[in-house]
């Protein structure tokens, strides 16, 4: 039994309990104990149920200022997007051009805080204090008509904001969902073989020889 | 000692062979002229490179490809993203001759640009539902028991521009968000043995240290099965583009889970539903519902010769070549069709057949010069059969972007040119 399978088996059997493991020494003796201060410095994730959200709070009106200062140059004054993702709107998720905005698509409100906190603003990621991140989160939720103008986001209020599309996700892989066979001969009528679309003469295909093609229009 | 060594010693033990050439003097020049005259009569190419001494050892201390191979480049689709620091480049599969993608042309995907992390300041923190939260330095990781595995790595969006129809007339742009490399590093199970795992620990969060601080949730079963923290790629340290000095490898699962510039692993009892597994990397169906947590890359293959970049030149014999891969295990079989999927011929699997890895295939083709529709179809060891685009679209619609593992059709025209087409 490989070490990984053994560990998995122990986990499954519930034998790898805290008490038992405390007794066992690390097998290699490498690594330093992570202190609470060290963990706190990097432990930035927040979950949909609110676990991991920091102290602090921010209102929609505070968020208006913080958003215009830090976000609007890319995502638009009203979250309408453009070159960068659209944030606001009750866009349709069906049809030829679905609009996956925060309001129409995102399943969990806390994910918005988590993402802004870790990755935004894009040129200076993880540079805003929690109060500003809460405020911007509140403002974007308000842009999407998901909270009122007087909403204040904090670790208790934010997880309670239910997103309209929470039930729109199937968190189970549907595959294998296709039904092709390993047929070798006469697998389809010859007459059925028709080209439906071709990329011949495609004007959106950049060159694949010579110098890098950097300015081809869509 | 070879003749060449002896000769170099005789001309003065010079460090540079080219300087040696100058000292050869008149006798050497006369001999070279005589050789040229004989060769000219034969009708064979002159091959002037053989008329003198070549470059010395270590004239180039880190070799680059020959000048004539300069088309082999990572390339991008400028209109695909708003900013090239949150974007993707494409592997030149049309020039890749074996299963290993050279590190210099391995496709790139950045969520906030390529950062230049270093070994000295790298730390890997493992905490959460563990018995002993630990921080490892790069040196710690280097001292641990190590393993080598060859795995492909594919962005879930590979082929994503082709859902609505054939759009890009190029193998590089239809399939180049995939590459394959030899990875060396430490099994995640080895690292988690150091910290211990509490029994409630069912999920692992992996986080990068670049500006995106990208996070993905991974089931603990997968983490303990075959995931690795790697520092070696194709015989050397990781490139900056691939997360130097350490990245996660989640064999066979969608590319962005293989977190680069790795700095933190946290054990939890539930998934985190991060930005990269909700807003992005979920598959929108035609009815507006979306699939999430569609992690593995299902069986896929593509013919790399011929292809839109590599035409055929007149009737006669050719070897059709390509790669097949599956995130669920080994490739069992690849079939090639020359008539758009009416009949198939079993291809030969060439070289090592390894799980979650490129497998090379070849198939002889005697082209009669008439238009042809070439396809390859992979079947993996689970029995899964690579689907047609029509079947895939029927099941998932065309708004999904991700996980397009459909059979590719190349149209070969009578003049030998090749186009990307889709069949009804």
């Amino acid at each position: 039994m490989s070490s990984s399978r053994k560990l998995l088996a122990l986990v499954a059997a519930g034998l790898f309990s805290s008490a038992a493991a405390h007794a066992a020494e690390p097998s290699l003796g490498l690594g330093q104990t992570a202190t609470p201060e060290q963990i706190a410095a990097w432990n930035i994730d927040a979950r949909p149920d609110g676990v991991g959200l920091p102290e602090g709070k921010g209102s929609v009106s505070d968020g208006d200022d913080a958003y215009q200062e830090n976000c609007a140059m890319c995502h638009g004054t009203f979250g309408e997007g453009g070159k960068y993702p659209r944030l606001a709107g009750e866009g349709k998720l069906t049809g030829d051009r679905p609009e996956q905005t925060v309001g129409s698509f995102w399943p969990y409100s806390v994910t918005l805080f988590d993402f802004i906190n870790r990755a935004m603003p894009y040129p200076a990621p993880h540079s805003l204090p929690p109060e500003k991140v809460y405020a911007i989160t509140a403002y974007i939720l308000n842009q999407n008509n998901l909270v009122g103008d007087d909403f204040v986001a904090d670790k208790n209020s934010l997880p309670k904001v239910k997103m309209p599309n929470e039930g729109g996700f199937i968190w189970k892989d549907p595959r294998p969902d296709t039904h092709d066979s390993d047929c070798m001969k006469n697998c389809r009528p010859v007459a059925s073989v028709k080209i439906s679309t071709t990329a011949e003469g495609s004007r959106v295909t950049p060159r694949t020889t010579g110098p890098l093609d950097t300015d081809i229009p869509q | 000692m070879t003749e060449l060594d002896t000769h170099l010693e005789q001309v003065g033990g010079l460090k540079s062979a080219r300087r040696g050439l100058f000292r050869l003097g008149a006798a050497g020049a006369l001999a070279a002229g005589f050789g040229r005259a004989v060769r000219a009569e034969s009708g064979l190419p002159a091959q002037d490179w053989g008329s003198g001494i070549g470059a010395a050892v270590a004239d180039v201390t880190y070799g680059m490809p020959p000048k004539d191979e300069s088309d082999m480049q990572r390339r991008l689709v400028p209109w695909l993203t708003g900013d090239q620091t949150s974007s993707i480049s494409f592997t030149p599969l049309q020039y890749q001759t074996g299963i290993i993608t050279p590190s210099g042309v391995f496709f790139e995907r950045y969520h906030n640009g390529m950062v230049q992390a270093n070994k000295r300041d790298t730390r890997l923190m493992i905490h959460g539902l563990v018995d002993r939260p630990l921080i490892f330095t790069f040196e710690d990781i280097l001292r641990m028991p190590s393993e080598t595995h060859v795995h492909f790595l594919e962005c879930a969006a590979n082929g994503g521009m082709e859902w609505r129809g054939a759009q890009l007339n190029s193998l590089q742009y239809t399939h180049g968000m995939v590459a394959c490399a030899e990875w060396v590093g430490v099994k995640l199970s080895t690292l988690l043995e150091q910290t211990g795992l509490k029994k409630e620990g069912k999920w692992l969060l992996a986080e990068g240290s670049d500006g995106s601080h990208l996070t993905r949730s991974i089931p603990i079963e997968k983490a303990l099965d075959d995931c690795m923290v790697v520092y070696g790629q194709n015989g050397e340290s990781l490139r900056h583009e691939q997360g130097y000095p350490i990245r996660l490898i989640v064999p066979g699962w969608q590319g962005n889970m293989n977190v680069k510039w790795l700095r933190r692993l946290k054990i939890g009892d539930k998934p985190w539903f991060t930005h990269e597994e909700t807003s992005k990397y979920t598959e929108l169906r035609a009815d507006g519902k979306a699939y999430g947590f569609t992690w593995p890359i299902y069986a896929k293959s593509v013919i790399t010769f011929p292809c839109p970049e590599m035409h055929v030149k007149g009737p006669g014999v050719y070897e059709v070549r390509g790669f097949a891969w599956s995130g669920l295990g080994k490739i069992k079989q690849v079939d090639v069709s020359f008539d758009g999927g009416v009949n198939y011929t079993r291809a030969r699997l060439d070289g090592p057949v390894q799980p979650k890895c490129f497998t090379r295939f070849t198939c002889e083709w005697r082209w009669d010069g008439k238009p042809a529709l070439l396809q390859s179809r992979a079947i993996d060891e689970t029995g899964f059969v690579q689907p047609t685009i029509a079947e895939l679209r029927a099941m998932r619609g065309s708004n999904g972007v991700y996980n397009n593992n459909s059979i590719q059709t190349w149209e070969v025209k009578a003049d030998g040119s090749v186009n990307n087409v889709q069949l009804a």
Side-chain angles (χ1 to χ4, degrees), chain B residues 231-249:
Chain B
Y231 43 77
Q233 179 186 357
N234 297 342
E236 60 184 355
S237 293
L238 291 176
R239 296 288 174 92
H240 283 308
E241 298 97 302
Q242 298 305 323
Y244 177 87
I246 52 168
R247 81 174 303 173
L248 192 62
I249 288 291

Side-chain angles (χ1 to χ4, degrees), chain A residues 133-145:
Chain A
V133 180
Y134 275 124
I136 292 168
T137 303
Y139 180 73
I140 293 170
L141 292 172
N142 180 258
Q143 283 179 321
N144 282 282
N145 299 316

Side-chain angles (χ1 to χ4, degrees), chain B residues 340-361:
Chain B
V342 177
N343 300 294
Y344 282 92
T345 304
R346 187 71 46 85
R348 184 178 74 93
L349 301 187
D350 172 61
V353 178
Q354 302 174 83
K356 304 168 188 179
C357 180
F358 272 11
T359 295
R360 189 169 181 266
F361 66 86

Side-chain angles (χ1 to χ4, degrees), chain A residues 26-33, chain B residues 134-137 139-145 194:
Chain A
S27 57
L28 301 173
L30 295 168
Q32 296 291 314
T33 299
Chain B
L134 291 173
I135 295 173
F136 299 99
T137 62
E139 290 299 321
D140 290 332
I141 292 165
L142 203 57
R143 281 173 64 179
M144 291 182 175
Q194 310 311 305

